[in-house]
Amino acid sequence: MTCEHRSQTASAPRIHPLAVLLALALAAPFAVAADWRTPAEASDYMRTPRYAETMAYFERLDAASPQVVMQRFGSSAEGRAMKVVIVSAEGVATPEAAHATGKPVVFVQAAIHPGEHEGKDVLMALVRDLTVSGKHADLLDTAVLVLVPIFNVDGHERFGPYNRINQNGPEAMGWRGTGTRLNLNRDYAKADTPEMRAWLALWNAWNPDLLIDMHNTNGADYQYAMTWAFETAANIEAPLADWQRRAFDDVLKPALEKQGWPIGLYVSLKDPTNLEAGLTEGASGPRFSVGYAAAVNRPGLLLETHMLKDFRTRAAVNHALMLELLRTLGREGDSLQAAVAAADAKRFAEGEAIPLAFGLDDATETIDFLGVTSTRTRSDISGADWVQYDPSTPVTLRVPLQRTVTVTAAAPAPAAYVVPPAWHELIERLQAHGITMTRLNAETPLESARYRFGKVEWAARPFEGRHAITTLEQRDERGPDTLPAGSWLLRMDQPKARLAALLLEPASPDSFLRWGFLDAIFEDKEYAEPRVMEAMARDMLAKDPALKAEFEAKLASDAAFAADPAARLRFFYVRTPYFDSEFSRDPIRRLDAAALAGLEQTLRPKLSNLGHNSTHHP
């Protein structure tokens, strides 16, 4: 469920028969006064508006309705304004006022991948129908909406007709990456982009109860106009997983099916050339939108309209889903807030395993999947199988689904982490995530645990602007330590403890270390001259028979080592007191309860809790 989509040859779209009727019925709700038609509606779903036209429409809604408030929350890399639209029966303009209503706060974002655009178009129509047209005004009694119609504003304005080769309309649309060619739906954890840091500030300020992220697919052809995904594995607290199963699977999904919109699970193919080989459903890490929501104790729903359905159909299913979601919150809003409160109240006991990475076991179940017929032929162009779909011939397939998630890496929860002040980029990122920390104003001796790393390898090619670490061996080192003055203490007795571990534990694929924030620890800063080590090595061998035996054994067993003069001398250098004691050593400290208690007792009069690092939790 990573939104990594596969290209397929585009075929004529097929609309589900019941959906055809519903799409025609939806023409009536959309046929409001001409001056409130969205640009998509006015063009008969031939075009989607540019950034300025989109924002102008929301500005008109803001001016026309006291229930709509539009605000700027940040700037893109290219300097464009990032806008949020708050919609509520009460016309709230602040997070405090939103939570004071007692209603769930629902955060909806579109155009994180701007070629996948129609979420933005649907939000324009949705806000109109909730407010100025009065068509669905009663649904504002169920929630406060915090809407980001265009998240990736720079990518949106790389506008053109050739940005989505796999998609069926409109005439032109935006581009997947940002102005700096980064994918925002890989940036939640590392927060490299100004857009993501602005998003984090907005998210932490409004502290919503639910995230909705609107996308389009790539990949196979099938009958569903909408597929979706949400987290239910060990990467999310159980009350949230239970709420999502009940609200989405048991309430929302059947309601949409009755309207002619069957919903499928997000399509992740085991074999990109053969849907019948089966599907997989895993767990997302915090680099992704709904994986990040799970890491900060919030449910999240990833919506994926089918790129081969036409623009009108994709808009219609999104519109139907958003209305039905608000109706669902009318029933399940209180239980949503209760699940969020329970998740925020959860604390990891010291030593409790925190899941960091996930895989799938081999178990499968068989499900019905609303597909279309397809053929595979050997291509004389590519030399691979060429998949061709026939959307005029629907078929219900029985396909295997692999969905039993396993934990492939975990770490015992410490009582606290400590980040030294020199690593300011980590500190700034942790603050941006709203993780509560306390600054230590005095140098302090204590006992701590730190990792020492052995074998380390980096990816050969960059991914999202970084050469991530792909292989890492680590061992635990514990003993006397000294915390520098200005270090930051991060207690795990807080709601964002799970996220803290995912960012600071090296076994996490989205840890700061894996993303390359700490690469300097793997570099030599001093070195030994060969002439110096030649003399010192002879003295070491003469004084230490065990070392001599170890050296000779390595010469005999490791041909590459034996042939490398520098490696042979380094064998001795790393065993001298001159070698850098901090080489390949994690600067992040881990404290047990006894060390934390001793630290707090020693520094209690000197602790300075910086209020801007605290996050509001209802």
Side-chain angles (χ1 to χ4, degrees), residues 545-565:
L547 178 65
K548 184 175 186 294
E550 183 184 355
F551 178 62
E552 290 173 346
K554 189 167 182 63
L555 286 174
S557 63
D558 188 338
F561 173 77
D564 187 343

Side-chain angles (χ1 to χ4, degrees), residues 399-418:
V399 300
L401 171 63
Q402 190 177 355
R403 71 190 318 178
T404 304
V405 176
T406 60
V407 176
T408 58
Y417 293 98
V418 177

Side-chain angles (χ1 to χ4, degrees), residues 388-449:
Q388 295 172 281
Y389 293 100
D390 179 8
S392 68
T393 311
V395 61
T396 298
L397 303 172
R398 296 284 289 167
V399 300
L401 171 63
Q402 190 177 355
R403 71 190 318 178
T404 304
V405 176
T406 60
V407 176
T408 58
Y417 293 98
V418 177
V419 184
W423 299 94
H424 58 87
E425 193 173 14
L426 273 62
I427 294 162
E428 291 168 357
R429 293 292 201 279
L430 292 166
Q431 291 172 341
H433 284 291
I435 294 172
T436 302
M437 298 186 291
T438 305
R439 192 172 187 184
L440 309 178
N441 287 335
E443 183 176 280
T444 311
L446 82 174
E447 294 279 324
S448 76

